[in-house]
Amino acid sequence: MVKSFFLSSRIKQVAKGAFFYFIVISITVSVVAPFFWMVLSSFKYEIDIYSIPPVWFFQPTLSNYIYVLSKSPFLLYMLNSFIVASGSTGIGLLLGLPAAYSIAKYKKQGWAMAILASRIMPGVAYLLPFYLMFLRLGMLGTHRALILAHLAITFPMIVWIMIGFFEDIPSDLVGAALIDGCSKIGAFIRVILPLTKPAIITSSIISFIFSWNDFKLALIISKPQTRTLPLAAYRTVHDASVEWGPMMATVTMIVLPVIIMVFFLQKHIVKGLTMGGIKG
Amino acid sequence: MENVADFISKHEKWLLPLPGFILVFGILSFPLAYMIYLSFHQWTPSSIELPTFVGLANFQRMFTTPRFLRAVSQTVYYVSLSLGSQIFLGILIAGILNRKFRGRGLVRTLFVFPLVSTPVAMGLIFMMAMDPTIGILNYLLSLVHLPEPLWLGSASTVIPSLVLVDTWKWIPFVALIVLAGYSALPAEPYESAVIDGASPLQLFWYLTLPFLRPTIIVATMFRAIDSIKTFDIIIVMTEGGPAYRSETVNIYAFKQIFRNFRFGYGSSILTVVAISVFVLVYVLTKLRRKKW
């Protein structure tokens, strides 16, 4: 009696464990499947891409990539995305770090609320004013314009994340540095910044990614010379007839760099995203 | 140089954030103010016309236009569906990820991928997967003899299809925030409850959920705001169709401004949206502070 009871409870344990792993694997597969499908399809001939049932064993080809890279200025688009994302992240840091520090140190809740308010605005609301402003300034289609516009994305993000981290720094640290003969700015640069370096890296990465992924601001402000990647993706489907092969290659080249970067920097990103959430 | 550094240090309190806040007021408030200004004007740009003041005419027009009213109900549908699924599943998944299991680190890493992927790009992928005839989703459904919907092609299924993509992308966000909340749970209540004979379900319902409430509300707030603002996915996958049935207020406003060039009317719609979001945030913030 005892033996069979023990056995059935054992089986229950194993079953529960298997069920748990089944759930975990299902979730993981659902999360990863689109990426897997995207990369796989980018190496298929067009016929194989939209054949049903889906083709798992196929003749791989680089023709889609060759087509995209030769027929469109894809590398230019990538360069534009990179310039704009780095520029707006850089300026966002330059302006955002002192601002976040000041808010944290002097507890200026009002300013923090104003920055939160920028999140409330529908992104679409920025489009017309920015367009008219840059039109009047003759800046439409320049990198500068898009970098400035993206500050609407990067600045609030950086400040929001950094406020939490700056709040964690004990204020005596600054006092100690001042006693040691630093000016206040020196204290800021030499003591505080190194302490929050991981947070700075985190907020930079997140801002960069969000700028890289932006579509609507780039749609309105950029011209063919300064087009960014998301726009390139949009146009593969919405301009001429749909070509699935080149579309898959384009999308892969846009998404994969970010994914690879995230794979190695995952810890930072999670910390930044949740920090912005918890301390809010 | 000495004097500059001293000057900055002395006035640090307002000097440090000054460039930042010039930015905030310039880049962020100016569009807001201009949007509100335009809401009370009519302006279809041509070289002759300037904005003409029309008072509340835009707002009157808005609330008597069926297409706008339908956009409102579609927005409510979209937001409640995506919030509902994302919060519910996000909490569940956070609970799962909170347990120790082999490969947990890898799963957590993979989990971030949807969050950082370019929305336009993933929209295209899903658009292809959702094609009724050659898409892989319907193929998989046919394998298990389930009905094959028209996904983005039918008015009744288009919003759930878009919500599916939105949910795929953002559940990890909710899960990660709630997961961080899990790490702050105190241990003693659980210990005493277990001694008192509580079941895992009771532990979850009476202890975990209340403790996680502030975190859940924060996640809800972020997702609610972002849901209303959803643009990329919808524009890329349906452009508001078929027959305007996936038009959220946001998309409707965009089209009024950039396709019909009704700058005043479009701005007034966005003003209404901004006010609604503000009210929503206010309510959720109050909920968060309330102790119950």
Side-chain angles (χ1 to χ4, degrees), chain A residues 21-122:
Chain A
Y21 273 101
F22 174 71
I23 300 276
V24 169
I25 292 180
S26 309
I27 295 175
T28 312
V29 166
S30 327
V31 162
V32 172
F35 299 109
F36 181 70
W37 183 250
M38 168 183 87
V39 175
L40 206 68
S41 301
S42 67
F43 292 108
K44 289 182 182 176
Y45 285 103
E46 195 119 343
I47 303 182
D48 288 332
I49 293 182
Y50 49 66
S51 73
I52 288 289
V55 178
W56 301 109
F57 300 102
F58 54 91
Q59 178 91 306
T61 172
L62 285 177
S63 62
N64 294 324
Y65 287 95
I66 297 176
Y67 182 85
V68 172
L69 289 172
S70 60
K71 279 287 165 66
S72 71
F74 187 84
L75 290 176
L76 173 68
Y77 298 155
M78 189 174 266
L79 181 68
N80 289 332
S81 277
F82 185 77
I83 292 176
V84 171
S86 334
S88 58
T89 300
I91 299 182
L93 283 174
L94 209 61
L95 298 175
L97 287 176
Y101 179 66
S102 175
I103 293 179
K105 190 164 168 202
Y106 299 110
K107 310 227 189 310
K108 292 194 187 141
Q109 282 299 85
W111 292 123
M113 285 297 120
I115 297 206
L116 177 65
S118 73
R119 249 210 122 142
I120 293 181
M121 282 262 283

Side-chain angles (χ1 to χ4, degrees), chain A residues 30 106 119 121 213 238 277, chain B residues 12 116 118 168 218 222 226 229:
Chain A
S30 327
Y106 299 110
R119 249 210 122 142
M121 282 262 283
N213 287 349
H238 284 258
Chain B
E12 169 191 275
V116 299
T118 313
W168 173 86
V218 167
F222 278 128
D226 286 346
K229 286 163 48 173

Side-chain angles (χ1 to χ4, degrees), chain A residues 192-267:
Chain A
I192 311 257
L193 283 190
L195 271 182
T196 50
K197 199 160 74 157
I200 295 178
I201 295 178
T202 300
S203 49
S204 314
I205 294 172
I206 295 183
S207 297
F208 186 91
I209 292 179
F210 277 106
S211 170
W212 179 276
N213 287 349
D214 165 77
F215 173 69
K216 43 185 175 293
L217 285 169
L219 177 72
I220 300 297
I221 296 176
S222 65
K223 293 232 163 102
Q225 272 301 99
T226 52
R227 215 170 262 153
T228 56
L229 288 175
L231 237 47
Y234 180 67
R235 287 166 58 92
T236 58
V237 183
H238 284 258
D239 274 359
S241 56
V242 179
E243 297 167 316
W244 293 118
M247 190 265 267
M248 283 301 178
T250 307
V251 166
T252 304
M253 285 194 284
I254 294 177
V255 173
L256 219 51
V258 176
I259 296 292
I260 292 176
M261 181 172 81
V262 163
F263 187 78
F264 292 108
L265 298 169
Q266 168 259 356
K267 235 180 15 186

Side-chain angles (χ1 to χ4, degrees), chain B residues 49-269:
Chain B
E49 275 182 50
L50 290 173
T52 38
F53 184 74
V54 288
L56 295 174
N58 285 331
F59 297 97
Q60 270 178 315
R61 176 179 183 175
M62 205 189 310
F63 290 104
T64 53
T65 311
R67 189 171 157 195
F68 171 76
L69 297 171
R70 189 156 1 108
V72 172
S73 74
Q74 278 159 196
T75 308
V76 171
Y77 183 35
Y78 181 87
V79 172
S80 31
L81 205 58
S82 54
L83 267 187
S85 42
Q86 283 162 30
I87 302 294
F88 178 68
L89 292 173
I91 296 178
L92 280 185
I93 293 181
I96 292 176
L97 288 180
N98 195 42
R99 300 238 225 130
K100 293 197 187 1
F101 60 89
R102 258 204 310 197
R104 181 168 80 158
L106 177 66
V107 173
R108 284 202 199 174
T109 304
L110 295 176
F111 223 55
V112 181
F113 288 1
L115 288 175
V116 299
S117 55
T118 313
V120 172
M122 299 323 292
L124 292 176
I125 301 279
F126 274 97
M127 196 166 83
M128 198 182 117
M130 287 177 174
D131 187 292
T133 32
I134 59 176
I136 192 170
L137 285 180
N138 272 356
Y139 170 71
L140 293 173
L141 286 176
S142 71
L143 286 182
V144 288
H145 301 293
L146 283 173
E148 299 174 35
L150 285 173
W151 298 102
L152 300 168
S154 148
S156 54
T157 57
V158 62
I159 288 190
S161 308
L162 290 171
V163 170
L164 180 71
V165 181
D166 191 79
T167 300
W168 173 86
K169 192 169 202 307
W170 290 105
I171 278 188
F173 179 71
V174 179
L176 286 172
I177 288 195
V178 176
L179 191 61
Y182 262 102
S183 60
L185 291 180
E188 305 90 52
Y190 288 91
E191 287 162 11
S192 21
V194 167
I195 291 176
D196 286 347
S199 71
L201 198 62
Q202 285 174 317
L203 286 177
F204 183 76
W205 188 258
Y206 290 108
L207 283 182
T208 313
L209 272 188
F211 279 133
L212 287 178
R213 205 172 58 88
T215 326
I216 295 177
I217 293 202
V218 167
T220 306
M221 193 160 73
F222 278 128
R223 281 315 306 150
I225 299 176
D226 286 346
S227 278
I228 297 177
K229 286 163 48 173
T230 307
F231 179 80
D232 296 12
I233 295 178
I234 302 180
I235 272 282
V236 160
M237 294 177 83
T238 63
E239 273 237 18
Y244 309 129
R245 296 311 289 268
S246 64
E247 231 176 37
T248 57
V249 219
N250 213 25
I251 302 279
Y252 177 61
F254 176 82
K255 282 190 182 173
Q256 289 302 312
I257 296 181
F258 289 101
R259 304 260 192 272
N260 300 357
F261 302 111
R262 298 198 189 112
F263 289 179
Y265 181 52
S267 298
S268 60
I269 300 171

